[in-house]
Amino acid sequence: MITFEDWLSALTSSQEGRIVWANYQYDLKKHNLESSVYDDFKSAVEKRLADSSPPVQLFDAIVNGEPDKFDLKCSRRLLRTEAYSRVIEVTDFAIYNLRLEELGLELDEEIGRRVWDKLGVTITSYYHGGTMKTRRNFFWCLPTHRLDLIHATTSPAQEASVVRNKLGLYHIDKNQRLLRIDIPPDVLSGKRVCAPTSLDAGINIVFAPCDDTRGVGWALDLETLSKSVEELIIEALTFTADYTVVKIGIVSEVVPTLNMNTLEANAVGR
Amino acid sequence: MSFKGEHPIWSKGAQLQWLEGLSVEDLKSWLRKLVWTQDSHPLVPPSQSISITYFADVIGRGTSALTCKVREVVPSLLQEWGRNDPMQCLDDLLVLSALLRCAAAEATIAIIASERITGTAEEVELKKRCLSVLSGFGCSEHSAPLFYRHLEDINYSAYCFRALYRYKLSYAVATLPTVVAIHKAADKLQALKGVLTLLFFDYLNLRQRIALWRDIIDHTEPMQLEEMLRTLQSLGIVLSVNRHASQEIEVIYDYSVVEPKKAGEKVQIYDFQVTSLAAINRALEAFLTSSNRIAQAVGASP
């Protein structure tokens, strides 16, 4: 009979699994997650052990499959809210946050470039639509002043690469286009805003939970693999004309090589 | 104790390598699992990303062999989708079709749009997605009837109009009055402005624009043309010549019963028709006083 311990042993047989588990343990140790979340998680794993699914896959399936139990559960209270912004790649923005049907703009592999060229000219806030979220029912953001600071201290040609690196967005490659969406403060009323936990991050090796007393999380810088800028997650929001969308720029540099050993040592030693 | 499967793969390069190694059947199984259950194992999408666009980007960076395999597989997955499956599955497959240009899916998408999705709010959104993807493939003789059929539905009118004029510019001449009328009736004039800006100022160059206007003027009923031009004028798509420039004229004859003017008084004239009438009167006056012979002929006193 397969036990939870067997599953854990299999999970931590991979470097990715060890990083994820170390982050989860940190969240529990620092009381970022209530003990009831741990109980729910363990119980969910045990219920599905018979599937014999690969352990990382099971971890992912559980946190994705039960949002009420595992999403936005950081118990550390955010001391003060401020202005927040989301950084998004233009193709995602075009497909999920624009009412292209009102323009008649066709969807193909060039949609990102086409929207980029027309943004602020033909494409105005009138065309905003959809929901601000990822596949899960929340999205990642950072304080607006951090982006302002990067904007003020970086050359326009470098800005998108610097933002990508500071936010740990290792999936954003050279030549991809980044936008910044400023969130109107009044839409956050009654919405959950908190630091991300290891369960929100899922199988994400470029993630570090933290115990910041202000209740914020911190993104990992792709170049240094250390803390760079505050990051938070926000419950899904309806995206309307009230949001401001600004072009950050086109990423001009390739993704820095990530040292898995450093990431693991940092996670385990945290 | 055993757990099946491979270690997680998180870097784009390694993910691409793994995908390149799959057979058509294995790729189909993996994509089916991704779309229907959100399970991409052993590939791990980043938590900040949207998995379907993320993997479209990964695949798009691969060899043409991989792209060909995907283009073979996606149409058959679209055929597997049924009305009882989650709508999100169809949306993901449509996005994948668009971003990886799976043009072989055209016929299946056209059938889904016309037969398999009907009229709930969620299905309207899906039909929009279908038409946007078909338009991205480029309208063809197969899809043109579908676009033509949905042109008068405000939900799809803009997609259909653009798909049709990109296929044959003559469609713009034939369908513009309808599209303007549909948008006006639905109180969607701001959207119409975007649609027409794309056509006139983005898609067409100056020479094409003028040629198109010539055709529109030649082929549109005068009443309909005037009505359409008034709407386009209100949107700033066409501009009126400034006929109402203020000018100062001297009163010669006063026809007004409201505010009689003295001869020789200077007044501002704003109305074009009044100005024209005044100009005609002035010309007539000049004519009558300078040509006694003709003045007599028309009965004027010498």
Side-chain angles (χ1 to χ4, degrees):
Chain A
M1 183 186 147
I2 304 169
T3 64
F4 181 80
E5 285 67 35
D6 295 330
W7 173 82
L8 181 55
S9 168
L11 177 76
T12 52
S13 68
S14 73
Q15 204 161 27
E16 294 82 2
R18 288 195 290 278
I19 292 171
V20 168
W21 189 252
N23 286 339
Y24 179 51
Q25 292 304 301
Y26 180 91
D27 272 332
L28 293 169
K29 187 174 73 184
K30 296 290 182 179
H31 305 290
N32 290 340
L33 291 170
E34 303 282 352
S35 57
S36 61
V37 176
Y38 173 77
D39 295 339
D40 286 340
F41 181 77
K42 189 172 182 222
S43 155
V45 171
E46 284 169 340
K47 272 184 204 157
R48 299 180 61 166
L49 282 175
D51 297 355
S52 299
S53 303
V56 169
Q57 186 184 2
L58 188 58
F59 186 101
D60 213 31
I62 287 169
V63 295
N64 280 295
E66 298 192 60
D68 292 345
K69 287 181 179 169
F70 305 121
D71 284 5
L72 297 144
K73 289 295 175 197
C74 186
S75 50
R76 197 170 295 280
R77 204 168 62 85
L78 188 61
L79 282 193
R80 71 178 183 96
T81 55
E82 51 189 320
Y84 300 113
S85 300
R86 179 188 188 187
V87 172
I88 187 169
E89 202 275 325
V90 70
T91 302
D92 284 347
F93 176 73
I95 295 175
Y96 298 107
N97 291 112
L98 283 180
R99 290 181 292 119
L100 291 180
E101 70 273 18
E102 297 237 358
L103 270 173
L105 216 50
E106 61 279 7
L107 181 56
D108 61 15
E109 70 276 23
E110 291 293 318
I111 187 64
R113 181 195 53 74
R114 207 177 296 121
V115 164
W116 183 265
D117 291 344
K118 297 180 196 333
L119 204 60
V121 188
T122 317
I123 299 178
T124 61
S125 60
Y126 170 80
Y127 297 99
H128 291 179
T131 306
M132 291 264 281
K133 63 191 276 288
T134 58
R135 183 47 62 85
R136 292 171 74 177
N137 207 36
F138 59 81
F139 64 93
W140 298 65
C141 68
L142 78 163
T144 301
H145 73 85
R146 284 289 183 182
L147 286 174
D148 289 340
L149 190 62
I150 293 172
H151 179 70
T153 55
T154 315
S155 73
Q158 293 294 310
E159 189 174 343
S161 301
V162 172
V163 168
R164 185 267 316 268
N165 291 349
K166 294 272 183 211
L167 268 65
L169 303 175
Y170 68 92
H171 61 290
I172 302 291
D173 271 312
K174 186 177 174 179
N175 295 328
Q176 289 192 280
R177 296 165 168 87
L178 295 183
L179 297 170
R180 151 186 171 169
I181 300 176
D182 293 338
I183 299 155
D186 54 325
V187 302
L188 295 177
S189 173
K191 291 288 178 179
R192 179 95 171 114
V193 183
C194 63
T197 70
S198 50
L199 299 182
D200 297 310
I203 310 298
N204 184 353
I205 51 158
V206 189
F207 171 76
C210 73
D211 61 347
D212 191 293
T213 51
R214 292 178 300 148
V216 297
W218 286 84
L220 285 184
D221 189 319
L222 293 180
E223 289 186 307
T224 62
L225 301 184
S226 56
K227 280 168 43 171
S228 60
V229 293
E230 298 93 331
E231 69 179 355
L232 293 119
I233 52 173
I234 299 179
E235 188 180 346
L237 297 171
T238 303
F239 184 60
T240 66
D242 298 332
Y243 291 69
T244 307
V245 180
V246 182
K247 290 178 186 176
I248 295 174
I250 302 175
V251 175
S252 57
E253 289 168 18
V254 296
V255 183
T257 306
L258 299 177
N259 186 323
M260 285 292 284
N261 293 332
T262 306
L263 284 166
E264 184 184 352
N266 290 348
V268 173
R270 196 173 288 125
Chain B
M1 182 277 289
S2 74
F3 291 95
K4 299 172 211 155
E6 303 164 63
H7 281 311
I9 303 170
W10 56 269
S11 84
K12 264 187 184 174
Q15 289 178 344
L16 190 53
Q17 199 178 3
W18 185 85
L19 287 165
E20 295 275 8
L22 295 180
S23 67
V24 171
E25 272 312 304
D26 289 342
L27 184 64
K28 188 174 176 179
S29 301
W30 179 79
L31 274 174
R32 187 187 290 116
K33 201 159 54 93
L34 171 68
V35 170
W36 264 267
T37 66
Q38 311 302 316
D39 179 1
S40 58
H41 186 82
L43 311 190
V44 181
S47 39
Q48 290 98 329
S49 71
I50 295 169
S51 49
I52 205 70
T53 53
Y54 171 76
F55 284 119
D57 178 55
V58 173
I59 293 167
R61 291 163 192 271
T63 61
S64 55
L66 176 61
T67 315
C68 284
K69 278 191 254 182
V70 172
R71 287 175 181 164
E72 185 183 334
V73 159
V74 171
S76 63
L77 289 176
L78 276 163
Q79 283 175 338
E80 286 181 18
W81 182 83
R83 280 179 56 85
N84 294 328
D85 289 322
M87 301 281 183
Q88 186 63 52
C89 297
L90 179 57
D91 193 65
D92 283 352
L93 287 169
L94 291 168
V95 169
L96 207 53
S97 301
L99 296 181
L100 296 171
R101 193 164 277 280
C102 303
E106 185 193 32
T108 308
I109 296 173
I111 289 169
I112 290 172
S114 48
E115 295 172 15
R116 287 164 68 187
I117 44 181
T118 49
T120 67
E122 209 177 5
E123 287 176 328
V124 168
E125 292 306 310
L126 273 179
K127 191 179 270 197
K128 286 178 191 170
R129 189 73 98 195
C130 288
L131 292 172
S132 75
V133 175
L134 289 173
S135 178
F137 293 156
C139 178
S140 66
E141 60 186 71
H142 303 297
S143 55
L146 180 70
F147 288 120
Y148 209 82
R149 200 160 60 240
H150 288 87
L151 188 74
E152 293 188 29
D153 187 330
I154 188 62
N155 288 314
Y156 318 113
S157 186
Y159 277 140
C160 297
F161 178 59
R162 184 165 163 85
L164 289 168
Y165 76 65
R166 286 173 70 233
Y167 175 49
K168 280 183 191 164
L169 197 51
S170 59
Y171 271 115
V173 179
T175 59
L176 184 63
T178 305
V179 170
V180 172
I182 294 288
H183 279 78
K184 200 174 170 189
D187 200 16
K188 289 271 187 182
L189 289 180
Q190 196 165 349
L192 179 64
K193 183 173 183 173
V195 171
L196 298 182
T197 300
L198 279 185
L199 167 63
F200 288 112
F201 305 111
D202 185 78
Y203 185 70
L204 301 177
N205 61 32
L206 178 62
R207 188 178 293 274
Q208 293 168 318
R209 190 155 61 235
I210 289 169
L212 179 66
W213 272 119
R214 193 177 296 129
D215 287 346
I216 290 170
I217 290 166
D218 285 349
H219 293 94
T220 312
E221 287 293 316
M223 292 281 281
Q224 198 177 28
L225 180 65
E226 186 176 10
E227 175 70 19
M228 185 174 75
L229 286 173
R230 282 187 197 286
T231 306
L232 300 199
Q233 185 187 4
S234 73
L235 299 175
I237 298 293
V238 295
L239 301 175
S240 57
V241 174
N242 185 6
R243 310 176 307 171
H244 302 294
S246 166
Q247 58 173 294
E248 196 174 59
I249 63 164
E250 187 180 325
V251 173
I252 299 169
Y253 295 114
D254 183 9
Y255 294 98
S256 167
V257 290
V258 183
E259 280 187 280
K261 301 284 186 299
K262 294 175 188 165
E265 189 179 346
K266 302 268 180 141
V267 293
Q268 287 285 331
I269 294 294
Y270 295 97
D271 185 271
F272 180 72
Q273 284 170 328
V274 173
T275 312
S276 303
L277 191 60
I280 291 166
N281 283 338
R282 206 180 298 181
L284 187 61
E285 170 78 1
F287 171 75
L288 290 174
T289 53
S290 65
S291 172
N292 285 337
R293 199 167 45 147
I294 297 177
Q296 285 166 1
V298 296
S301 303

